[in-house]
Amino acid sequence: MSFNYFSAGISITEGGSYLVKRKRSKIEGNMNRPNMLYLENPDLPDLDIGRNSYMMPKIRRSFEHAHQLLTNALGDRR
């Protein structure tokens, strides 16, 4: 499973969901960095609180590595 940082964002309102970045009018300024995480502010939905996530590539690699380790560890138990 893979999260598409280029086209999807995350909203935590109303139980949480994924959203399409290009449908959000206020994130146009962040489209020059499409690989950045988009997190919708629950109080101000037009505000991207993930826009300053400049370490996102490193964070993404860390999560991918953790996922791989967990998958391998759980796979050994089956």
Side-chain angles (χ1 to χ4, degrees):
M1 182 159 78
S2 178
F3 181 78
N4 189 339
Y5 292 88
F6 290 89
S7 64
I10 299 171
S11 172
I12 60 168
T13 57
E14 298 179 16
S17 65
Y18 295 120
L19 51 88
V20 179
K21 280 184 177 182
R22 70 176 174 264
K23 290 185 178 181
R24 306 301 293 196
S25 61
K26 297 292 184 180
I27 66 163
E28 292 299 322
N30 203 19
M31 292 314 288
N32 60 346
R33 300 181 309 166
N35 62 325
M36 295 299 182
L37 178 64
Y38 176 83
L39 292 172
E40 180 184 68
N41 183 328
D43 295 323
L44 300 168
D46 288 334
L47 181 62
D48 173 11
I49 58 176
R51 72 180 176 275
N52 292 324
S53 57
Y54 66 93
M55 295 290 289
M56 198 59 223
K58 186 175 183 178
I59 294 167
R60 185 177 333 140
R61 283 192 305 273
S62 296
F63 276 111
E64 288 170 353
H65 181 69
H67 178 262
Q68 184 178 30
L69 290 174
L70 288 168
T71 300
N72 290 341
L74 293 174
D76 290 341
R77 292 182 182 190
R78 292 179 186 183

